[in-house]
Amino acid sequence: STSYTLDFVARKFLNVGFDSEDKFKIVIHIITPSRYVSIYEGFLRRIFSLMGNILSFILDVPQKYRKQIFLEDEFIAASNMVYRGENVLVIESKKKEGCRVLLDRKNLMKLQYIEEIIFETIARKSTIIRPVVLKQFEIIGNYIDRELTNVLSPPKTIEEMIIFIKNLRADQIIKNIDLNFVSQLKMFAAPKLAEQRLRWSREMSPELFVDPISPLSPPIIPKKYSSPSHQYNDDNNA
């Protein structure tokens, strides 16, 4: 991922990376010391298109009960509030409780200053980096599948599979290439890899995931055999 500083003292950053849970699409995080919010490229572009109006509102005299919603969709909302006697922009998730950030005038001006850099980064990651990441994600998955066939007791839970994946040696998966994201994928996409590989393992060898003693199984009743008659060879009876 690529990170840009909005306010070093206040520890506010904008991060551009990939979402392993959504086919490695670009995701943008605005991060503060206590909270964060995830937004997509289209919403960020809409914020920039309204930046003049937003800044005018933010620079106006603070009025505690005057709320303005600048942007809103089913996932995210951008509005204003008064915080410590100053107008600030609030960007918050409508899907995740507590995911919101406050951006003041200084933060917004810094955001506006690096606008072109942000979208250059997004374009480069989308067109150049993402296809490589997707390909290497597939290569790692195939490597895991091969390794699982050599294990006597393969992982049976997500947690076990994640540990198995993280213990793989990255230098054995992909070698001698400049853009190598194997270590990062092992670290940050391990849950997704584990989920896919566990599903594959269940499809290929379902018997490995069946509880041998199921509480719903009928009781096993041993068969009764008649005791064999004891036969003796009496060597004395000729």
Side-chain angles (χ1 to χ4, degrees), residues 97-108:
E97 184 70 26
C99 285
R100 72 171 189 171
V101 295
L102 308 182
L103 301 178
D104 60 20
R105 176 189 60 83
K106 180 181 176 182
N107 305 149
L108 291 172

Side-chain angles (χ1 to χ4, degrees), residues 15-173:
N15 185 280
V16 181
F18 298 103
D19 185 357
S20 62
E21 294 297 321
D22 190 17
K23 301 178 182 178
F24 291 95
K25 293 180 181 178
I26 294 292
V27 63
I28 301 156
H29 296 299
I30 301 177
I31 304 168
T32 69
S34 59
R35 299 187 182 187
Y36 78 97
V37 68
S38 300
I39 61 177
Y40 53 91
E41 179 186 354
F43 195 86
L44 184 60
R45 288 188 181 277
R46 291 172 65 194
I47 288 177
F48 279 118
S49 70
L50 295 174
M51 188 62 81
N53 293 335
I54 293 173
L55 281 171
S56 295
F57 198 94
I58 296 299
L59 293 171
D60 202 357
V61 177
Q63 297 182 33
K64 190 172 183 180
Y65 300 104
R66 180 187 175 192
K67 183 171 182 178
Q68 173 73 33
I69 297 177
F70 301 107
L71 286 172
E72 185 176 23
D73 62 19
E74 60 178 312
F75 302 106
I76 314 166
S79 61
N80 78 294
M81 69 175 290
V82 177
Y83 180 71
R84 294 181 178 177
E86 182 181 1
N87 287 324
V88 296
L89 178 69
V90 183
I91 303 177
E92 58 187 326
S93 170
K94 297 171 69 175
K95 297 294 184 180
K96 293 184 179 180
E97 184 70 26
C99 285
R100 72 171 189 171
V101 295
L102 308 182
L103 301 178
D104 60 20
R105 176 189 60 83
K106 180 181 176 182
N107 305 149
L108 291 172
M109 293 184 70
K110 179 60 180 290
L111 195 62
Q112 191 175 36
Y113 180 72
I114 62 174
E115 175 183 358
E116 291 185 4
I117 299 174
I118 293 170
F119 289 116
E120 286 174 0
T121 300
I122 291 173
R124 183 175 68 254
K125 287 182 179 293
S126 298
T127 59
I128 300 174
I129 306 299
R130 183 171 179 264
V132 177
V133 170
L134 287 170
K135 181 62 178 177
Q136 293 187 11
F137 184 84
E138 180 183 355
I139 291 172
I140 296 172
N142 293 335
Y143 181 84
I144 294 169
D145 293 342
R146 291 195 300 271
E147 289 297 301
L148 287 174
T149 61
N150 299 324
V151 178
L152 293 177
S153 179
K156 295 183 180 180
T157 66
I158 291 289
E159 292 74 17
E160 290 177 356
M161 186 67 79
I162 289 174
I163 294 172
F164 178 83
I165 291 169
K166 289 187 175 181
N167 285 334
L168 296 174
R169 290 183 55 184
D171 59 353
Q172 296 297 318
I173 301 174

Side-chain angles (χ1 to χ4, degrees), residues 150-232:
N150 299 324
V151 178
L152 293 177
S153 179
K156 295 183 180 180
T157 66
I158 291 289
E159 292 74 17
E160 290 177 356
M161 186 67 79
I162 289 174
I163 294 172
F164 178 83
I165 291 169
K166 289 187 175 181
N167 285 334
L168 296 174
R169 290 183 55 184
D171 59 353
Q172 296 297 318
I173 301 174
I174 299 178
K175 303 177 182 179
N176 303 323
I177 61 172
D178 294 329
L179 289 175
N180 192 329
F181 300 102
V182 171
S183 295
Q184 294 182 58
L185 287 168
K186 279 179 53 188
M187 177 64 66
F188 300 112
K192 191 64 177 180
L193 281 165
E195 176 189 329
Q196 288 189 358
R197 287 14 269 179
L198 205 58
R199 185 166 59 247
W200 177 86
S201 296
R202 286 194 173 108
E203 291 172 356
M204 296 300 294
S205 304
E207 68 279 0
L208 296 176
F209 298 88
V210 176
D211 187 353
I213 305 178
S214 172
L216 299 179
S217 301
I220 300 175
I221 302 175
K223 294 181 179 180
K224 293 183 178 180
Y225 296 94
S226 57
S227 300
S229 58
H230 296 286
Q231 297 181 354
Y232 298 96

